[in-house]
Amino acid sequence: MNREISYEQAISELEQIVEKLNSGCVALDEMVTLYEQGVELADYCKELLVRYEGRMDKAIRRDGSADQGEIF
């Protein structure tokens, strides 16, 4: 993606795409375009989650008070 949006916004857009695709009222060309956008959004969400996980791991290591592998 060439724009930075929040995880929540990306999920919201992905849900809208899924609704459109499930409606059955979309032309084939638009369906393919929506599918491509959905895959791009899903990949973006995965990337964000990996980044957030890295930040959490870093904070836990820095804090040192949490048991290894346990956040809470």
Side-chain angles (χ1 to χ4, degrees), residues 4-8 10-11 14 41-57 71:
E4 286 288 322
I5 59 175
S6 70
Y7 177 81
E8 292 80 8
I11 289 294
L14 187 54
L41 283 166
D43 289 344
Y44 178 73
C45 288
K46 288 180 210 174
E47 177 186 320
L48 285 178
L49 289 173
V50 167
R51 280 195 248 161
Y52 293 146
E53 182 179 31
R55 288 174 58 192
M56 292 295 292
D57 288 344
I71 295 175

Side-chain angles (χ1 to χ4, degrees), residues 23-61:
S23 75
C25 299
V26 179
L28 181 59
D29 187 53
E30 185 180 359
M31 187 181 298
V32 171
T33 300
L34 287 170
Y35 182 82
E36 290 170 336
Q37 291 171 352
V39 168
E40 187 175 315
L41 283 166
D43 289 344
Y44 178 73
C45 288
K46 288 180 210 174
E47 177 186 320
L48 285 178
L49 289 173
V50 167
R51 280 195 248 161
Y52 293 146
E53 182 179 31
R55 288 174 58 192
M56 292 295 292
D57 288 344
K58 185 177 179 180
I60 290 169
R61 283 192 305 273

